[in-house]
Amino acid sequence: MNRSQHKKPSIKNSVRQVGAKQQLKKTPTVDMFAKSQAAVEKYEIYLDVERNYSEDTVKGYINDIEDFAEYLKSENFGSLLSITKNNIPRYYLSSLSTNGYKKKSIARKLSSLRTFYRFLVAEGMTSENPFEEIETPRADKTLPKVLYKNEVDAIFNSIDTTTAIGKRDMLIMELLYGSGLRVSELCNLEESNIDYSNKLIKVFGKGHKERYVPMNDHTIKALKEYIHVGRKEILLKKELEDPKKLLLNKKGTCLTTRGVRVILDNIISKTAESVHVHPHMLRHTFATHLLDGGADLRSVQEMLGHSNLSSTQIYTHVSSEQMKKSYMANHPGQNRK
């Protein structure tokens, strides 16, 4: 590493930077703040209606924008609509780094703000995108965490399928691990999306892109037991009108993504496993185990609904790492003295 990268900024440079920041400070009118808030609300509708993003995705974008708006306000830099191509975006990214944000999180926030301002420019609400020329920090490459097959077996074996809730929980696990669905896709499933004769599930992914994913015999069994027995029992107890969505919570209403996370936590608490399992971890595991079993990369890409093959290739690295760990742990030559 170049030694110059470790040089501390001189007092003169620090004073110059503070002076530059002071020059950028503004006192926007209340009207400008109101217009900025209206712009955010308009963008939120655009993401939800026109882009058809999931609730969690929209929330993530809006949170990133509101964080930046709060930063502008706290530093007296103005409003979302008043900044231009100056150093404010760089100051913001620097503050995120100082406050301990990882490169991946900073890159995500930068992406959120860049696309927000592109929308504003397209709508004529501002004349330029202050984030357009800001370089995205290279995120540290980390492999997604996956479960080993014995851990997956332990989770399935812990579910009591004699109850209506247990039948539902088994189906959730089968769909997340057996078909690799995103949690938002899982919660939006309807019974009409199931094609039993071809063993396929019609899924609407990011941007409402339609794809078909296969389901195995275990998933089909779990579906039938839940739909014909468990789901009816949940609805009968609550005497509610049948909602369109396939998966229900114990109150008989549509299951949310947060509800799925709570359910997984409850399932794991009944096992001897100490690992924390989130819905996307099961999707990672689905892809990795497919590749372990000899599936080709293109097929896995289609099942996951990835636009780019590079998004799927990360699982080849995970599969290799698991293979090496298994070898190191089990090959008798490793224990030779």
Side-chain angles (χ1 to χ4, degrees):
M1 189 175 286
N2 195 326
R3 289 185 181 179
S4 62
Q5 291 178 320
H6 294 284
K7 287 182 180 179
K8 293 182 179 180
S10 65
I11 295 175
K12 185 184 289 186
N13 287 338
S14 298
V15 170
R16 189 181 294 121
Q17 188 181 51
V18 171
K21 289 178 77 172
Q22 290 293 335
Q23 290 177 2
L24 292 169
K25 292 184 182 293
K26 300 176 182 179
T27 307
T29 62
V30 174
D31 182 53
M32 188 59 77
F33 279 123
K35 285 182 178 179
S36 294
Q37 184 58 39
V40 175
E41 290 171 1
K42 187 174 182 179
Y43 185 58
E44 185 173 4
I45 293 170
Y46 165 76
L47 293 176
D48 180 35
V49 178
E50 293 192 36
R51 300 297 296 175
N52 202 28
Y53 287 158
S54 69
E55 183 181 344
D56 285 348
T57 300
V58 174
K59 192 181 296 182
Y61 273 105
I62 300 305
N63 285 344
D64 289 339
I65 295 164
E66 290 179 342
D67 285 348
F68 180 57
E70 189 60 36
Y71 169 80
L72 293 176
K73 189 175 181 180
S74 66
E75 294 289 334
N76 199 24
F77 280 154
S79 70
L80 291 168
L81 295 179
S82 66
I83 70 164
T84 55
K85 286 185 178 179
N86 48 39
N87 287 324
I88 289 176
R90 289 185 174 84
Y91 292 149
Y92 178 58
L93 298 184
S94 176
S95 74
L96 292 175
S97 181
T98 301
N99 288 323
Y101 280 84
K102 293 182 179 179
K103 289 181 180 179
K104 187 175 181 180
S105 297
I106 295 173
R108 191 205 69 234
K109 284 182 175 291
L110 176 57
S111 176
S112 296
L113 291 165
R114 188 182 286 130
T115 52
F116 170 61
Y117 277 98
R118 281 177 188 163
F119 170 80
L120 296 184
V121 171
E123 291 291 314
M125 302 177 78
T126 188
S127 60
E128 59 186 9
N129 186 343
F131 287 90
E132 196 65 64
E133 296 172 5
I134 303 296
E135 188 176 345
T136 303
R138 289 188 177 183
D140 298 325
K141 289 186 177 180
T142 55
L143 296 178
K145 293 181 179 178
V146 300
L147 296 166
Y148 287 100
K149 290 174 183 176
N150 63 305
E151 292 174 323
V152 173
D153 289 340
I155 294 171
F156 276 109
N157 292 335
S158 70
I159 301 172
D160 179 10
T161 55
T162 62
T163 67
I165 295 300
K167 287 178 171 58
R168 180 208 60 191
D169 293 352
M170 178 61 76
L171 178 58
I172 289 172
M173 277 295 301
E174 288 290 357
L175 290 170
L176 292 175
Y177 171 70
S179 295
L181 301 191
R182 297 181 178 97
V183 65
S184 58
E185 296 168 347
L186 175 83
C187 292
N188 285 320
L189 276 182
E190 297 180 10
E191 192 174 347
S192 59
N193 299 142
I194 310 300
D195 181 353
Y196 290 106
S197 59
N198 292 307
K199 296 185 177 181
L200 292 172
I201 307 170
K202 182 164 69 175
V203 176
F204 295 95
K206 289 184 176 180
H208 209 65
K209 289 181 181 177
E210 181 183 308
R211 74 181 191 279
Y212 286 87
V213 296
M215 53 182 177
N216 59 46
D217 292 337
H218 294 292
T219 305
I220 293 173
K221 180 184 176 184
L223 270 166
K224 290 180 176 178
E225 288 189 359
Y226 169 69
I227 290 172
H228 299 311
V229 182
R231 192 174 187 277
K232 288 182 177 179
E233 190 176 322
I234 293 171
L235 284 172
L236 187 64
K237 284 182 179 179
K238 304 303 174 184
E239 298 180 351
L240 295 170
E241 185 179 337
D242 189 352
K244 287 184 178 181
K245 302 304 179 188
L246 175 66
L247 291 162
L248 308 176
N249 59 29
K250 61 184 179 182
K251 295 179 181 178
T253 57
C254 298
L255 191 61
T256 63
T257 55
R258 179 176 174 78
V260 174
R261 294 183 178 95
V262 172
I263 288 166
L264 286 181
D265 287 341
N266 289 337
I267 293 172
I268 298 301
S269 69
K270 296 170 186 174
T271 71
E273 306 300 325
S274 57
V275 65
H276 172 65
V277 177
H278 52 82
H280 221 66
M281 189 177 185
L282 292 169
R283 180 171 157 88
H284 294 325
T285 305
F286 161 79
T288 304
H289 288 184
L290 274 177
L291 291 169
D292 284 344
D296 67 277
L297 204 57
R298 285 288 181 187
S299 297
V300 177
Q301 178 192 3
E302 288 181 20
M303 284 184 268
L304 292 173
H306 285 162
S307 300
N308 300 312
L309 188 62
S310 57
S311 301
T312 316
Q313 284 174 328
I314 187 68
Y315 297 112
T316 62
H317 300 298
V318 179
S319 184
S320 297
E321 285 298 310
Q322 279 207 327
M323 179 179 64
K324 283 190 284 186
K325 286 181 181 178
S326 179
Y327 171 81
M328 297 297 285
N330 300 302
H331 194 279
Q334 294 301 314
N335 301 317
R336 189 184 301 130
K337 294 182 179 179

